[in-house]
Amino acid sequence: MTQPFYVSPEQLMKDRADFARKGIARGRSVVVLGYDEGIAFVTENPSGALHKISEIYDRIGFAAVGKYNEFENLRVAGVRYADLRGYSYDREDVNARGLANAYAQTLGAVFTTESKPLEVELAVAEVGADQDSDQLYRLAYDGSVADEPGFVVMGGAADKLAERVRARWTPGMSLPEVLALAVQVLSGTGKDARTIETTNLEAAVLDRTRTRRTFRRLSVHTLTELLDQAPAQPPEQAEEASQPPAEGTDAANGTASSPDHP
Amino acid sequence: MTAPDARYPDRLPPAFTRPGSSSFVDFLRSHAPDLLPGAGPAPQSPVSTPHATTIVALTYEGGMVMAGDRRATAGSAIAHRQIEKVFAADEYSVIGIAGTAGVAVELVRLFQLELEHYEKIEGTLLSLQGKANRLGSMVRGNLPMALQGLVALPLFGGYDHREHTGRIFSYDVVGGRYDEHDYHSIGSGAVYAKGSLKKVWHPGLDAEDAVRVALHALMDAADDDSATGGPDARRGIYPIVVRVDATGQERIADEQLATLAAEIDALPERSREV
């Protein structure tokens, strides 16, 4: 009879975290940015049918990176959660905080109890009456929640991209400005820079000027028009190379320290 | 699954993550059947509740119009003067209700959510026929209540993107769905409204005339049916009239209805002078 090897809980959690991070880092990043009249979601997604961004409820949007089948499952659960809540109380009583909580509990429970953690990272956004009352939550594979002010970047190379967004994003930017910023950030810099075709972008907004259902997908046509309206982007300072790679800082659990991008 | 659930009570239950269904009603049935309308025992003796009355609907060139009066009655008394009986089901369809108001309003709320839920999960709209079939099965769910006298029947209509026309569907208590051609009316004043529609409706109506014809039929019904309320200029209460075409739906403004109602009222056949 063989004795099972002893694995310390630290090692077990670290292995799971590393596994989840690797899965997430394989996906293309998603950028969620607040602007003066709402919240914009942008990602690179060649598929027009398999969405990474979607509507949850009147004022709540959802974005995800990682394994499609896993986040699609969570997205459907979120829609059911929100619709059930709105049906049994009122449409006004559905909020992003409750949803983020339910997601966090689910991700956390799967991370600790099941054989494989979910390889997903989620963003839940709720548009408010003004930019100060917008809510943005970022949920990691282990159930940790971060309440992010203003913007969220997820996916492979998230830390690096977040740094670049942080340097340029300010409250009160217009929709064309944040879209141009998102596209520039997603396109990479330096020797990794490339051009992303507008047809390969998936973009949507939660538009606070709309009543009831505020979520709206931006068609290729609309997106092209909006990007044309944006003022020319100032070239980014070439201080990328001098920055230390931000390692192991994105997840609030602090268990893992491997870089989450190749 | 029971052990993790007990340790993580706030985790989303398995019903939420179960794949396969895009229907909110199916989800409710499996997860929280007590929230479905008509759950629990039907009343054993007749109950007196407000009744919503006449709805008319008609098609025109490129769309359809639905109109409902604003009166609800309880027995011979007027229960409400301003009840709303015509609702937007989604961007391209409308639903009107007649019968027991409480049951009907709940049915509409669930139907609206059913369509929105499908749209969010599937990322696309149901076909008009699909919406109509879905409504039929929801009406059937109310059968136990209907047998106790709490009947609520919808009239459904919308723009069919495949056939590029407006279409109307009526229902019976067992959920039977019937394609109505040209025009239809339900509720206590339906007999009078249909009589009126038979005379004033004609093929090839334009959008503006369609609104006029619908209002005319409602006013004719209100003339002869005590449970149907006509336009009330003194209180500023006008029927709810919704028009649907390829671009979506639009509720006709009260000012426009006031003008039309005054025009119809001035028609020689409506005055009782000899």
Side-chain angles (χ1 to χ4, degrees), chain A residues 59-70:
Chain A
R59 310 185 73 82
I60 304 175
F62 169 97
V65 290
K67 266 187 103 172
Y68 179 78
N69 66 330
E70 293 178 350

Side-chain angles (χ1 to χ4, degrees), chain B residues 8 20 33 44 46 65 68 70-71 74 76 99 101 104 127 131 137 151 166 194 206 218 233 248 263-264:
Chain B
Y8 297 94
Q44 292 304 303
V65 170
R70 303 291 292 272
R71 183 172 290 178
S76 60
S127 65
K131 293 174 197 169
S137 75
V151 180
K194 268 191 195 161
D206 65 17
L218 265 189
E263 281 175 26
I264 295 166

Side-chain angles (χ1 to χ4, degrees), chain A residues 26-256:
Chain A
R26 252 177 256 133
R28 302 255 185 237
S29 300
V30 174
V31 187
V32 185
L33 298 160
Y35 66 97
D36 54 355
E37 288 184 337
I39 297 171
F41 303 77
V42 186
T43 183
E44 192 182 353
N45 185 357
S47 167
L50 306 175
H51 296 302
K52 285 157 66 173
I53 298 166
S54 101
E55 172 184 16
I56 295 283
Y57 210 64
D58 289 355
R59 310 185 73 82
I60 304 175
F62 169 97
V65 290
K67 266 187 103 172
Y68 179 78
N69 66 330
E70 293 178 350
F71 69 69
E72 171 66 9
N73 208 252
L74 287 168
R75 180 187 76 89
V76 169
V79 172
R80 286 175 179 162
Y81 168 92
D83 278 350
L84 179 62
R85 217 181 157 84
Y87 179 68
S88 39
Y89 300 107
D90 186 71
R91 296 193 79 88
E92 267 184 42
D93 301 312
V94 182
N95 53 50
R97 198 182 53 81
L99 180 65
N101 222 338
Y103 276 146
Q105 296 292 342
T106 308
L107 288 164
V110 173
F111 185 76
T112 43
T113 61
E114 290 183 15
S115 51
K116 180 190 104 53
L118 293 173
E119 296 161 71
V120 294
E121 212 173 338
L122 313 177
V124 173
E126 178 177 344
V127 71
D130 52 48
Q131 204 165 356
D132 289 335
S133 52
D134 285 351
Q135 291 175 46
L136 267 174
Y137 298 98
R138 175 183 176 172
L139 295 126
Y141 51 85
D142 61 350
S144 56
V145 193
D147 183 355
E148 305 266 354
F151 65 90
V152 169
V153 184
M154 306 183 297
D159 293 343
K160 226 159 104 185
L161 299 190
E163 276 310 312
R164 292 172 53 203
V165 174
R166 192 168 292 121
R168 305 256 309 282
W169 181 85
T170 52
M173 286 169 89
S174 69
L175 179 57
E177 282 169 354
V178 291
L179 288 176
L181 170 59
V183 173
Q184 195 179 28
V185 166
L186 289 174
S187 306
T189 49
K191 61 182 190 308
D192 300 329
R194 63 211 165 84
T195 313
I196 304 177
E197 295 294 323
T198 315
T199 47
N200 286 343
L201 284 171
E202 180 184 354
V205 292
L206 289 168
D207 183 346
R208 77 173 100 252
T209 61
R210 283 162 67 106
T211 52
R212 224 173 105 118
R213 289 169 73 181
T214 58
F215 186 86
R216 181 164 60 100
R217 285 193 189 283
L218 301 178
S219 64
V220 174
H221 178 73
T222 318
L223 191 56
T224 313
E225 271 185 1
L226 285 166
L227 286 172
D228 286 345
Q229 288 170 25
Q233 292 292 308
E236 284 184 82
Q237 298 86 342
E239 30 79 72
E240 287 287 315
S242 65
Q243 282 193 358
E247 286 185 0
T249 52
D250 67 333
N253 65 346
T255 52

